[in-house]
Amino acid sequence: MAKKLYIPGPVEVSLDVMEAMRAPMVGHRMKEYAQVHQRVTEALQTMLNTSDPVFLSTSSAFGVMEGAVRNLVQKRCANFANGAFSKKWHDVTLRCGLQADLHSAEWGQPITAAMVDKALATGKYDAMTLVHNETSTGVMSPLEEIAAVMEKYPAVSFIVDTVSSMSAVSLDVAALGTDVCLAGVQKAFGLPPGLAVFAASRKALDKARTTPNRGYYFDFEEFEKNDLKHNTPSTPCISLIYALDHQLQKFAAEGLENRYARHRAMAERTRSWIEEQGFGLFAAEGCRSLTLTCGKNDARTDLETLKKLAAERDYAIDNGYGKIKNQTFRIPHMADMTMEDLDELFTLLEELLPQARS
Ligand SMILES: Cc1ncc(COP(=O)(O)O)c(C=O)c1O
């Protein structure tokens, strides 16, 4: 039997979403595709409050993360890192043969506006990368404060990973002034993996055209040229785009503000439950994620055993990521999840915890 997913991505996918993927196939150069593409990209523009294009990339998020640095780093990139995914982005930037420096905060702490200001004031950089919501640690950095600092550095491309926050929290791209704001759909969007979306600013698109060696698959100029015809540079994952179309209509029916409030309420409930069980919260106060909560293990719980016991009951749970595996665990509260789903998980864990504790 399939396990019910309580991991922070890929998340559990609703049956109606899977059903939407069964719509008949069309060719991506047919007008039927262009209609869906236009509807989806316009809905994303509305959700992100931008009149600049939002592109659809048939890749996971790291494709666009790599593409963004290849298109936008001409001089040197500042990679801000406070967890596994943000740190990996530095590695990816270097692997692309680009000049880059890592600016780190402790895991569990946010990237602050002051840190960004200090690094960029050196004048060394023409691009920076930031992960808004570090899925490895459950930290949500203060994007609006960082965006306010970025106004001082208009020549520095502002590249933001909102992989596990886009669609769950309000992201006003026009007000933030991001040059790239990207996400994969297997997190807060509640879709199967394989598609990434990204909003690119006019400034970023103009700069990208002057950047050498940006390859083909993630060339922003190719995305723009094709998007003007409601199309993609190469064959897209059409079934996933049907599912995104369906999901965006569901977001509208729920109401975005209600959706954001649902995530906030689930985050608050999860934090309380974790503390009631005697665990701590890994992320520092004031920067705790609204889409997943990272609990700090106590000295008496064997998280591997807990995970195994949950698996025997057909539930997939998380026991931490990267260097904090087993010292922490993450509970997602995003996408189509409801308070009832959380209660189901908490009931199960309350039953299993005594067997995993010494
Ligand atoms: C914040 C963040 N960035 C990037 C990624 C990488 O995404 P993908 O595996 O879709 O390339 C993840 C995946 O969990 C993530 O959580």
Side-chain angles (χ1 to χ4, degrees):
M1 197 179 141
K3 292 188 180 73
K4 182 161 178 176
L5 300 183
Y6 283 101
I7 54 174
V11 298
E12 185 75 7
V13 177
S14 303
L15 282 178
D16 55 284
V17 172
M18 297 307 291
E19 200 54 42
M21 292 180 65
R22 294 182 55 195
M25 194 42 53
V26 295
H28 65 298
R29 304 301 182 208
M30 284 163 59
K31 71 172 186 324
E32 287 82 353
Y33 175 74
Q35 284 162 356
V36 181
H37 184 105
Q38 182 174 8
R39 191 161 60 235
V40 164
T41 53
E42 286 178 357
L44 289 168
Q45 285 175 306
T46 304
M47 184 178 83
L48 297 173
N49 188 35
T50 179
S51 52
D52 288 333
V54 180
F55 300 128
L56 306 180
S57 171
T58 295
S59 67
S60 82
F62 258 118
V64 178
M65 291 161 80
E66 175 167 322
V69 293
R70 287 193 69 179
N71 277 268
L72 296 176
V73 180
Q74 295 183 348
K75 191 167 76 171
R76 196 173 189 91
C77 184
N79 302 118
F80 293 91
N82 57 343
F85 296 103
S86 42
K87 184 154 186 287
K88 185 77 193 169
W89 210 350
H90 177 58
D91 180 35
V92 168
T93 309
L94 295 177
R95 286 198 204 191
C96 290
L98 299 165
Q99 302 294 316
D101 297 312
L102 182 64
H103 295 272
S104 304
E106 284 294 308
W107 287 35
Q109 296 294 326
I111 301 298
T112 62
M115 251 180 97
V116 171
D117 200 8
K118 187 166 169 220
L120 300 191
T122 60
K124 288 201 288 190
Y125 305 108
D126 72 329
M128 66 89 98
T129 66
L130 172 78
V131 171
H132 176 217
N133 191 61
E134 236 313 338
T135 321
S136 60
T137 60
V139 168
M140 197 171 257
S141 288
L143 188 52
E144 287 172 16
E145 290 169 26
I146 292 168
V149 159
M150 289 306 293
E151 282 182 25
K152 283 170 60 178
Y153 304 99
V156 180
S157 298
F158 184 17
I159 308 171
V160 186
D161 163 331
T162 57
V163 167
S164 54
S165 55
M166 189 187 285
S167 89
V169 303
S170 171
L171 289 172
D172 185 333
V173 162
L176 293 168
T178 54
D179 288 301
V180 175
C181 180
L182 70 103
V185 298
Q186 77 278 17
K187 310 267 184 198
F189 279 94
L191 298 172
L195 173 67
V197 303
F198 65 108
S201 71
R202 186 68 262 151
K203 197 158 58 120
L205 295 171
D206 291 341
K207 181 179 180 185
R209 240 181 272 120
T210 68
T211 309
N213 299 322
R214 55 189 195 274
Y216 166 70
Y217 196 74
F218 295 107
D219 179 358
F220 285 6
E221 191 179 4
E222 291 288 343
F223 274 98
E224 187 184 19
K225 218 167 57 190
N226 283 278
D227 189 68
L228 288 170
K229 296 180 282 180
H230 308 302
N231 221 305
T232 52
S234 47
T235 317
C237 46
I238 295 173
S239 303
L240 269 174
I241 294 168
Y242 290 155
L244 176 57
D245 186 24
H246 172 78
Q247 204 58 335
L248 287 165
Q249 289 171 39
K250 266 170 57 186
F251 294 177
E254 181 179 10
L256 284 176
E257 290 306 323
N258 295 334
R259 186 174 166 77
Y260 303 150
R262 175 165 59 80
H263 284 81
R264 181 173 291 279
M266 291 194 297
E268 284 165 5
R269 167 91 176 96
T270 305
R271 290 173 201 158
S272 311
W273 182 85
I274 287 176
E275 291 191 310
E276 281 158 22
Q277 301 310 308
F279 296 112
L281 297 172
F282 185 73
E285 173 105 55
C287 63
R288 290 179 184 143
S289 170
L290 295 170
T291 56
L292 76 146
T293 300
C294 190
K296 205 168 9 167
N297 197 5
D298 52 20
R300 62 200 180 104
T301 307
D302 181 341
L303 290 172
E304 289 283 3
T305 300
L306 188 65
K307 184 173 161 178
K308 207 163 118 259
L309 291 168
E312 284 165 11
R313 302 279 290 271
D314 297 319
Y315 289 90
I317 62 167
D318 174 81
N319 58 329
Y321 191 92
K323 70 177 187 185
I324 52 173
K325 196 179 175 91
N326 290 326
Q327 298 162 33
T328 59
F329 57 93
R330 299 168 304 161
I331 297 181
H333 29 79
M334 61 174 109
D336 290 343
M337 273 182 78
T338 61
M339 212 57 105
E340 288 69 39
D341 292 313
L342 279 181
D343 285 338
E344 182 182 334
L345 175 70
F346 298 157
T347 304
L348 173 85
L349 293 180
E350 282 166 30
E351 188 189 327
L352 300 180
L353 267 172
Q355 298 170 59
R357 278 180 156 162
S358 49

